[in-house]
Amino acid sequence: MAITDSYFRQINRLRISVTELCNLRCTYCRPEAGIALMEHKDILTYEEIIAIIQSALKFGITSFRLTGGEPLVRRGIESFIRMLAKVEGIEDLAMTTNGIYLKDYAKILREIEVFRLNISLDSIQETKYKQITRGGNLSDVLDGIEEVLQLRFKNTKINVVAMKGINDDEFEDFARLTLERDIEVRFIEYMAMNKSSLASENKFISSSEIISTIEKNNELIPLPKPALGSGAARVYKIKGALGTIGFVSAVSQPFCDSCNRLRLTSEGKLRSCLLSGGEVDLKSILRNNFSEESLQDAFIRAAHLKPRKHSGRGHVVMHKVGG
Ligand code: SAM
């Protein structure tokens, strides 16, 4: 049985935030002092997440992404990955990670054939990377990326949040990483998440501006959308390059019309949209008189809470809902 929202969009993807915790404090994403810790009992257990995935699969939701916080900092993530490997019916499994611990985990992740990685990296200059992430070591991420390339993961993406005055001098350097590496460098438009935000609007730079910058010295060839993992990106290739360059223009060209996802927070809220719309509490369903029907019903309710379009600005913070 397929699940469709009130605007006839079929839902087939679920993003799962496995933890709010992160080992970095990116200036635009997290307060310097960190966030209030949740108690362990308040976050979904791995078994509960698996139960939710199994329920989602019955609706034809076959594509899952683990995010956070930083998924690789949650204790026991290795055993969770192994649990996931045994779930039948998952067609696509991905993780968004900052890559700091990737070198340690890449081999385990590679055991799952369908596993794909999106590695967040906003600067390839050591000092700037440290500033943006408030202390991260660029070499940890670069070593992780090399390991992933060695292990021949498919469809690896490097996510670059484009920020005016911060990394706009590196767009071409990022783009040229694709010349000799089989990766997709993805420029993500910067979202000003809320009014008091760490993410302020004057950093915004549109995909078309990024394209113009890259095109000054490089010929960009537009590519047709690949079937897997293309999501909302427009994809190009520099002539002769091994890899590709993608642009996710959630701000300048919102893709709500084709939005096909729900999001699960680490505390068990099934959210209908990153920026607006309502949510359904799955944790209370799982922990009180649980029945498969009530979980299925919750999915249908969450899908129907999906707004036709988001407001463009949410009151959520990214580390809660997961990017
Ligand atoms: N810790 C993991 C990571 O760094 O990839 C996963 C969580 S992180 C919140 C997911 C993605 O959201 C990252 O690529 C991050 O750069 C992006 N992100 C956070 N705040 C953002 C914002 N205001 N605009 C655009 N992207 C944002």
Side-chain angles (χ1 to χ4, degrees), residues 33 37 53 59-60 79 81 109 131 147 161 168 201 210 218 233 248 251 272 280 297 299 302 319 323:
L37 284 187
I53 290 174
F59 283 117
S79 55
I81 303 293
L109 302 178
Q131 279 165 358
E147 179 79 4
V161 177
D168 46 354
E201 262 164 39
I210 308 166
N218 307 278
V248 178
V251 179
S272 56
V280 176
D297 176 61
F299 265 96
H319 58 75

Side-chain angles (χ1 to χ4, degrees), residues 121-296:
L121 182 61
D122 299 331
S123 174
I124 40 177
Q125 296 173 10
E126 210 176 310
T127 312
K128 202 197 289 180
Y129 181 79
K130 217 175 242 320
Q131 279 165 358
I132 296 176
T133 58
R134 294 200 185 99
N137 280 324
L138 178 63
S139 58
D140 291 340
V141 190
L142 297 181
D143 288 352
I145 293 173
E146 287 315 317
E147 179 79 4
V148 162
L149 286 169
Q150 293 257 322
L151 293 170
R152 296 185 184 281
F153 276 80
K154 296 185 185 92
N155 288 305
T156 302
K157 301 189 176 75
I158 308 292
N159 279 1
V160 185
V161 177
M163 293 175 279
K164 193 178 268 173
I166 309 271
N167 59 4
D168 46 354
D169 56 332
E170 295 187 60
F171 293 162
E172 187 176 355
D173 296 340
F174 268 114
R176 293 183 74 82
L177 289 179
T178 64
L179 290 177
E180 288 172 6
R181 290 179 186 80
D182 184 15
I183 50 171
E184 180 165 313
V185 167
R186 272 200 162 182
F187 292 99
I188 317 274
E189 281 184 349
Y190 175 80
M191 291 182 277
M193 297 297 284
N194 55 32
K195 286 194 194 97
S196 61
S197 183
L198 306 148
S200 62
E201 262 164 39
N202 58 18
K203 290 199 197 107
F204 175 77
I205 179 159
S206 70
S207 293
S208 43
E209 289 172 90
I210 308 166
I211 291 174
S212 305
T213 306
I214 297 171
E215 275 186 328
K216 276 185 197 140
N217 299 316
N218 307 278
E219 188 184 341
L220 281 184
I221 304 161
L223 299 181
K225 275 197 164 198
L228 182 69
S230 55
R234 279 180 294 155
V235 184
Y236 298 77
K237 200 180 190 70
I238 297 180
K239 207 169 176 188
L242 217 56
T244 54
I245 305 172
F247 297 90
V248 178
S249 319
V251 179
S252 67
Q253 292 175 312
F255 35 84
C256 301
D257 286 347
S258 59
C259 182
N260 56 1
R261 63 179 69 132
L262 293 172
R263 295 170 184 268
L264 180 66
T265 70
S266 53
E267 53 196 325
K269 303 276 178 5
L270 188 60
R271 283 189 65 95
S272 56
C273 170
L274 173 65
L275 294 174
S276 34
E279 59 189 25
V280 176
D281 183 4
L282 298 190
K283 188 174 64 192
S284 66
I285 293 174
L286 285 160
R287 295 186 186 177
N288 302 297
N289 303 320
F290 167 72
S291 72
E292 183 56 37
E293 294 76 62
S294 51
L295 200 51
Q296 300 263 308

Side-chain angles (χ1 to χ4, degrees), residues 40-161:
H40 192 66
K41 68 172 174 43
D42 293 332
I43 65 168
L44 293 177
T45 64
Y46 288 136
E47 287 75 13
E48 286 170 333
I49 299 176
I50 296 281
I52 291 169
I53 290 174
Q54 277 164 335
S55 192
L57 281 164
K58 294 190 181 128
F59 283 117
I61 298 177
T62 54
S63 173
F64 300 89
R65 173 174 297 279
L66 308 180
T67 180
E70 168 53 38
L72 293 179
V73 303
R74 179 156 171 189
R75 202 176 303 153
I77 190 75
E78 198 176 320
S79 55
F80 179 54
I81 303 293
R82 297 226 154 89
M83 283 158 88
L84 277 172
K86 293 195 189 118
V87 178
E88 278 179 31
I90 297 180
E91 287 174 10
D92 179 34
L93 187 56
M95 178 185 281
T96 306
T97 171
N98 58 34
I100 297 284
Y101 292 155
L102 201 48
K103 201 166 189 301
D104 302 333
Y105 283 101
K107 280 206 177 70
I108 296 155
L109 302 178
R110 190 67 187 96
E111 286 173 23
I112 303 184
E113 180 58 27
V114 292
F115 219 105
R116 302 187 289 117
L117 288 163
N118 283 34
I119 304 158
S120 302
L121 182 61
D122 299 331
S123 174
I124 40 177
Q125 296 173 10
E126 210 176 310
T127 312
K128 202 197 289 180
Y129 181 79
K130 217 175 242 320
Q131 279 165 358
I132 296 176
T133 58
R134 294 200 185 99
N137 280 324
L138 178 63
S139 58
D140 291 340
V141 190
L142 297 181
D143 288 352
I145 293 173
E146 287 315 317
E147 179 79 4
V148 162
L149 286 169
Q150 293 257 322
L151 293 170
R152 296 185 184 281
F153 276 80
K154 296 185 185 92
N155 288 305
T156 302
K157 301 189 176 75
I158 308 292
N159 279 1
V160 185
V161 177

